[in-house]
Structure formats: C-alpha cells, structure tokens
Amino acid sequence: MEEQIDKTRELGTRSIGSLLLVYALPSVISQIIASVYNIADRIFIGHGVGAMAIAGLAITMPIMNIVHAFGSLVGVGSASRMSIVLGRKDIPWAEKILGNSLILTFILGVLFLTFGYAFMDDILAMFGASADTISYAREYMLIVLPGMFMTTVTFNLTGLIRASGYPTKSMVILVSGAVLNMILDPVFIFVLDWGIAGAAWATTISMTMTAIVSVAHFFRKSSFIRFKAHAFVPKLYIFRNVLLIGMSPFLMNLAGSAVVALLNTQLIRFGGDLAVGAYGIVNTFCSLLVMFIIGICQGMQPIAGYNYGSGNSDRLKEVYMLALKFNVGVGIVGSFLGLVFPATMVRIFTDDAQLIEISAFAMRFLLAMWPIIGFTITNSNFFQSIDKPWIAIVTSLSRQVLFLIPLIYLVPAIFVNTGHDGLTGLWFSCTISDVLGALLAGVLLLTQLKIFRPGYVHPEKRPMKEVGPDSSK
C-alpha cells in the first residue's frame, strides 16, 4: 500500500518524460490493440460475409459511439476528478468517486439498453440503414448491445485503475479483451459460420470478461483505492462534478454519432451504399489514429490532473507540450499513409474493385489534416484533465458540430451547382472542418495561457466545494 502511495506521489516529482512514458505507453498499446481488433472485425466480416455486411456494420458505428459516449461521460470525468483529488492527498474522497462512478455507469447503461432495444429499427433507419443493410445491422446490434454496456463498465474502471497508479494493469485488462475478441472472431464467423452474429458474440463475450476483471481489481486488499461501503452512498455533487468533466468526451462522441447519421444520409444521396461502406473503411483508419492520440492523452491525464491539483504550473506546461509533440507526430504519419498509400490500405478490408476506388479517393480527403487534428484532440483532453470542462466542450465540438454539419450540406451543393461531383464535395467538407476546428482550438488555448505562468494560483489550491466534513470518513 505505502509503495503504491509513493508511486502516485511520483506524479508530482518524477521527470515528466519518464512519467508520460510510464502512463502513456500502456494506454497507447491498449488503444491500438482495441483499434486493431475493430479493424480485424471488419476484415473478418468483409471477407467472410460480404460488402453489404461492411455497410451494415458501418451503420452501427454511430450507435456504438453513443454507447462509448456514455462510458466516456462517467469514465473520463471520474478519472480526471480522481487525479485532481489524489493531488490533494485525499484518499477517502477518491474512494467516493470510485463508488459513485460505478453507480452512475449502471444507471446510464440500463437506460441506454432499454431505449436501444425498444427502438432498434427506428434508430438504425435514422442512422442511414437501407433495405439491403438493415438486416445485417439489426442482427449485429441485438447481440452486441449488452457487450457495449460491459464496455462502459470496463472503460470507467480501467480509467480509474490507471488514475490510481496502475497504468500497466489497465493496459493488460484492455489488451486481453481485444485479443480474446480477435481469437473468437474467426472461430465464430468462419468455423461455426455464424456470419455477422459471430462478430457480435465475440465482442459481447470478450467485453464481459474485461468488465469482470476490472471490478475484481477494486475488491483486492492490495489495491490502492478499493470499494468501501461509504463509497456507495450516492453524492449528488460527485455526480455533478464527474458528469461536468466527462461532458466533453460524451458530447463529442454523441455529436460524432449524429454527424455520421447525417453524413450517411448524404453519402447515400451522392454515392449509394458503397459510399457508406467506403466511409466505414476510412473511418476505421481514422479511429486507429484517434486511439493512438487518445492513448497519449490518457497518459497525460493523471499527470496533468495531479499537478494541477497540487498547483505546479511548470510541470503542467511540460506535460502538455510533450503530449502535443507526440500527437502532432502521429497525425503526420497518418496523413502520409493516407495520401501516399490509400489503395493499399483499403485492400486490407475488401477486394471489391469499386469499393476500393471510392475508399481510396475518400481517404486522401479524410486523412489530409491529421497533424492539426492531433493538436485539436490534445487541447480538448488537456482541458478536461484540469477541470475546465467548457473549454474542452467547445474545443471538441467545434470541428464536428459547428463546422462539419453545415459544410456537408453546403459544400456538396456548391460542387453540384458548378458541375462537379457531389460526393467529392462531401469528402472535401470534412477537410475544411478539420482546418476550422484547429483554428478555433488555437484561439481557445490562447485565452488560457495564464495557467502555465509561474505563480498562477490554481482554483484547486483553494478548498473544494465538494469536500465537506465527511470527506475523511
């Protein structure tokens, strides 16, 4: 126990470079493995079921993103809050955050599952399912929804495991689930011939196992932060603080799902079902880059939160700049691959010549601006880590909501009216929104530079409103 407390205190003393490596590397590995298994899912479905099945799976992506949004709402908020509280050396309050976050996860998860099953076909139709793809999408979602609920439990608890000083264990849990999924996929799809349902069962089983292991961690006596009776007393102000910090990734995922629904409608209008499938393929590569960048940000989060809570501005600036350099570098690599080798990357998923042509063309537009997207994502995650939710919310939503939604209608219309292809205009609208989102993120960062100045008095150095007489009980 004392050894683990010392490791947590290292967040305020150990060199930032080594800390970011220790915390970010496990997060990056787990995020990449998770993305690889998503890619593997689509490879197995594409070659084992067919092109329409990929299009059907693409329809389910925004719905699954909504489920992940609920996981982010509680998981990111509770992990960020726990890091700040640990910076103030308040262990009992960290336990309260743990218990209340699990209560929130189950409440929101049950509500989402109930709504999802009750309105399944309406939801799929809203997200762009056609007569040819809805059967695949429905079959997949009916099975995978419970697995997605288990994913929210895992997402929440592994974030808290990492925030409380166990970054490697958090990685092992997430990687184990992804590896199990990749093992079960070919067995269920090819050996047992379950089709797209096999991919759904593989996901549900693997995510249930990771949720069980994550819960078990906090029952172990050797764990730094554990489940205790006082932690499960609902505290509305903990709910409020957790939800407010977690609102940025929640709204970002929610907005992303809404944007995909609108985008799918436009894709069908200008390119048909194959255009939807092409976007699903390209978006898979984009998701891989996002996961890599988010992994760095997850490593940054406990370091930034702890040093913000303890009022160390120099270390706060150092971890931000180092994470930013890594994430811009990831974006540069992603853009290079998307611009130079698009067809090669697309052939991993399909051998359909028309789908390859559409996807490779789209990839050049959707991956061109990833260096500045890395900047935007880093800013959003940094501000939610230091309890500045409104800056994080505006930063995260600007690219997808403020800019992309109007552009996917305006730009294709301009292209069509000038005698050009509307589908090309749709891809180009994504590129424009990436640039505008990064510009706004830069402006918002400039308004907050005071937090990096020596001697800046952080609000967290004053007594927290939530800490009352019972905080030490």
Side-chain angles (χ1 to χ4, degrees):
M1 177 70 74
E2 288 300 323
E3 179 184 356
Q4 194 58 48
I5 292 175
D6 289 340
K7 287 183 179 179
T8 305
R9 288 173 180 166
E10 285 183 349
L11 291 168
T13 58
R14 188 173 172 179
S15 71
I16 293 297
S18 62
L19 274 176
L20 190 59
L21 179 64
V22 168
Y23 276 83
L25 186 58
S27 296
V28 169
I29 292 173
S30 59
Q31 292 289 336
I32 290 176
I33 295 296
S35 293
V36 168
Y37 103 71
N38 282 329
I39 292 173
D41 227 20
R42 286 156 178 76
I43 293 173
F44 291 134
I45 290 172
H47 290 286
V49 187
M52 284 297 103
I54 286 186
L57 190 64
I59 296 298
T60 70
M61 288 176 64
I63 302 173
M64 295 172 70
N65 285 340
I66 292 175
V67 179
H68 287 302
F70 279 95
S72 298
L73 177 62
V74 180
V76 172
S78 57
S80 298
R81 200 65 199 159
M82 181 177 283
S83 295
I84 295 172
V85 166
L86 289 176
R88 299 197 60 180
K89 316 297 189 297
D90 195 334
I91 307 304
W93 203 257
E95 293 168 348
K96 285 177 167 57
I97 292 172
L98 169 64
N100 276 253
S101 70
L102 193 60
I103 294 171
L104 268 176
T105 298
F106 275 94
I107 291 173
L108 296 175
V110 169
L111 288 175
F112 184 83
L113 285 175
T114 302
F115 184 82
Y117 280 121
F119 302 100
M120 177 66 67
D121 282 1
D122 293 334
I123 294 171
L124 293 174
M126 181 177 67
F127 284 110
S130 68
D132 293 325
T133 60
I134 193 169
S135 61
Y136 292 106
R138 184 195 304 114
E139 185 178 9
Y140 185 82
M141 289 305 302
L142 287 174
I143 298 168
V144 87
L145 270 179
M148 291 296 97
F149 171 60
M150 290 295 103
T151 301
T152 64
V153 175
T154 302
F155 187 93
N156 176 30
L157 294 184
T158 52
L160 292 173
I161 290 171
R162 183 173 52 253
S164 58
Y166 299 85
T168 302
K169 186 169 186 177
S170 175
M171 174 198 71
V172 169
I173 293 172
L174 293 171
V175 169
S176 298
V179 171
L180 179 60
N181 196 318
M182 285 188 283
I183 293 172
L184 294 178
D185 258 338
V187 174
F188 290 168
I189 294 174
F190 296 106
V191 178
L192 298 180
D193 197 25
W194 288 359
I196 198 169
W201 277 116
T203 298
T204 300
I205 292 171
S206 60
M207 291 302 101
T208 300
M209 294 302 297
T210 58
I212 292 172
V213 174
S214 299
V215 170
H217 167 84
F218 290 104
F219 281 106
R220 294 174 61 89
K221 291 184 179 180
S222 59
S223 296
F224 176 42
I225 304 295
R226 300 194 302 274
F227 289 127
K228 292 186 179 178
H230 76 92
F232 288 97
V233 177
K235 301 284 187 180
L236 294 181
Y237 36 86
I238 294 182
F239 288 178
R240 179 199 65 213
N241 289 334
V242 166
L243 294 176
L244 188 59
I245 299 175
M247 194 60 66
S248 172
F250 172 74
L251 291 177
M252 184 176 65
N253 284 322
L254 205 62
S257 299
V259 168
V260 170
L262 297 173
L263 191 57
N264 281 344
T265 302
Q266 290 290 84
L267 286 169
I268 290 174
R269 175 184 175 187
F270 292 109
D273 287 328
L274 284 180
V276 175
Y279 179 74
I281 289 175
V282 177
N283 201 35
T284 300
F285 283 105
C286 293
S287 297
L288 179 60
L289 295 175
V290 168
M291 292 302 178
F292 204 112
I293 292 172
I294 291 297
I296 298 291
C297 290
Q298 286 181 347
M300 172 186 67
Q301 177 267 314
I303 306 169
Y306 188 97
N307 285 283
Y308 180 81
S310 60
N312 196 325
S313 298
D314 291 338
R315 291 175 63 81
L316 188 65
K317 180 179 180 179
E318 188 177 353
V319 72
Y320 167 77
M321 292 303 299
L322 190 56
L324 180 61
K325 291 175 183 177
F326 276 121
N327 287 341
V328 171
V330 171
I332 291 172
V333 173
S335 291
F336 174 79
L337 293 175
L339 294 173
V340 179
F341 306 109
T344 302
M345 297 168 70
V346 171
R347 286 192 184 95
I348 297 173
F349 296 90
T350 182
D351 51 10
D352 186 289
Q354 188 177 1
L355 184 55
I356 291 173
E357 181 181 359
I358 297 173
S359 302
F361 184 74
M363 187 168 285
R364 292 190 172 94
F365 289 93
L366 270 62
L367 270 73
M369 295 299 164
W370 268 93
I372 61 175
I373 293 175
F375 167 73
T376 305
I377 296 175
T378 302
N379 280 11
S380 176
N381 280 267
F382 174 74
F383 285 116
Q384 74 190 24
S385 298
I386 61 171
D387 200 7
K388 290 187 175 290
W390 296 113
I391 301 294
I393 288 170
V394 174
T395 301
S396 62
L397 291 184
S398 61
R399 174 172 151 255
Q400 292 182 311
V401 176
L402 181 62
F403 300 123
L404 184 56
I405 289 179
L407 286 173
I408 63 175
Y409 294 98
L410 178 63
V411 178
I414 293 174
F415 270 59
V416 170
N417 290 334
T418 56
H420 298 87
D421 179 32
L423 184 58
T424 301
L426 197 56
W427 301 134
F428 187 49
S429 66
C430 297
T431 308
I432 298 173
S433 69
D434 293 339
V435 174
L436 295 177
L439 289 174
L440 182 57
V443 172
L444 292 173
L445 175 64
L446 290 175
T447 67
Q448 299 297 314
L449 290 180
K450 61 184 179 180
I451 64 174
F452 296 129
R453 294 172 189 160
Y456 173 71
V457 179
H458 296 270
E460 287 296 336
K461 293 188 71 176
R462 301 190 290 270
M464 292 189 296
K465 293 179 181 179
E466 64 191 22
V467 178
D470 64 338
S471 66
S472 61
K473 294 181 182 179

